Amino acid sequence: MHTPVSLSVSEPQAVADGEGLAVQITGAGLSDLAARAADCRLCRLAETRTQVVFGTGNEQADVVFIGEAPGQEEDRRGEPFVGRAGQLLDRMLSATGLDRDSVYIMNIIKCRPPNNRDPKGDEVQACNLWFEQQLDLLQPRVLCLLGRVAAQTLLETDAPLGSLRGRWHAYQGIPVWVTYHPAYLLRSPSQKKKSWQDLLTVQERLRGL
Ligand code: URA
């Protein structure tokens, strides 16, 4: 995993260590950003959400998994991917030797859309304020995008998921691998093997970094 960095978005202050080998940027980090996002009212979803679902996991993780938006269970518990789809994601992670403590998990938007509809463009745009700062703080080496909505949104394309899978992309210079959303895998279990292979591809890439 990369060297821990605590980075303030609002008031960065560089501090070199005694030997000048590491630079830590002190100040507010992810927990501060999460605290500020908790009161967000930048879009209409603030009216209907129970709580903001910021993201969870290892803040020094090399890989960040990104889904589309919290569902009902996530909205209730305040954590991403804790419903049925999330349980499948957990099983898939553990089958490849990963778990929630070794990765970071988040969504492109932080509040549940009513009836789990797709996020609207202006909601994604509003939430981008939090999303970009969160990624800046995490500094992952690889992103793994879960499903069509996350993939099409971040890669700015209308291409179907099937055509985005199987090759590397980039988001702001970070290597990106696209795989199926675990909710889709619950409906189409025959695709699980491909998703498992996707996770192995991500791990191989991390080993080579
Ligand atoms: N689906 C998502 O895309 N994200 C979650 O957090 C839960 C379900």
Side-chain angles (χ1 to χ4, degrees):
M1 290 191 193
H2 60 266
T3 313
V5 173
S6 163
L7 181 68
S8 163
V9 175
S10 47
E11 298 166 304
Q13 186 190 358
V15 179
D17 76 1
E19 296 167 37
L21 292 176
V23 173
Q24 192 187 27
I25 300 175
T26 60
L30 268 179
S31 54
D32 180 71
L33 188 66
R36 287 193 283 132
D39 298 326
C40 180
R41 307 208 66 80
L42 287 174
C43 82
R44 67 182 72 77
L45 298 180
E47 309 299 324
T48 50
R49 71 167 184 239
T50 305
Q51 56 190 315
V52 168
V53 179
F54 185 73
T56 50
N58 188 327
E59 298 182 6
Q60 276 85 49
D62 288 328
V63 56
V64 172
F65 288 83
I66 304 179
E68 71 185 68
Q72 186 173 29
E73 189 62 11
E74 290 76 20
D75 177 65
R76 193 178 71 79
R77 288 173 51 186
E79 273 186 53
F81 284 99
V82 288
R84 278 187 68 225
Q87 287 158 18
L88 175 58
L89 179 62
D90 285 345
R91 291 197 294 279
M92 294 185 60
L93 288 175
S94 86
T96 52
L98 295 169
D99 59 23
R100 277 180 186 252
D101 295 331
S102 55
V103 305
Y104 192 88
I105 303 176
M106 59 193 271
N107 288 302
I108 51 170
I109 66 164
K110 314 224 165 287
C111 297
R112 182 190 182 207
N115 302 315
N116 299 342
R117 64 157 168 75
D118 284 356
K120 293 183 193 286
D122 61 338
E123 294 160 358
V124 172
Q125 209 177 350
C127 218
N128 196 254
L129 172 81
W130 305 115
F131 182 89
E132 290 299 336
Q133 293 186 68
Q134 195 171 13
L135 268 197
D136 275 354
L137 290 164
L138 288 164
Q139 297 186 11
R141 293 181 170 197
V142 172
L143 300 179
C144 184
L145 307 185
L146 301 170
R148 176 186 62 83
V149 174
Q152 289 183 341
T153 302
L154 293 186
L155 300 177
E156 295 186 272
T157 176
D158 290 335
L161 185 106
S163 74
L164 298 172
R165 260 194 77 242
R167 61 198 162 94
W168 286 97
H169 305 267
Y171 178 78
Q172 300 190 351
I174 308 169
V176 167
W177 194 260
V178 172
T179 191
Y180 296 111
H181 195 285
Y184 167 76
L185 296 176
L186 288 172
R187 298 191 299 272
S188 306
S190 61
Q191 307 287 2
K192 277 187 198 167
K193 193 170 170 204
K194 288 193 207 160
S195 249
W196 187 70
Q197 276 162 350
D198 287 337
L199 294 189
L200 293 179
T201 302
V202 166
Q203 273 192 315
E204 256 168 51
R205 175 87 186 220
L206 291 172
R207 269 196 289 272
L209 287 174

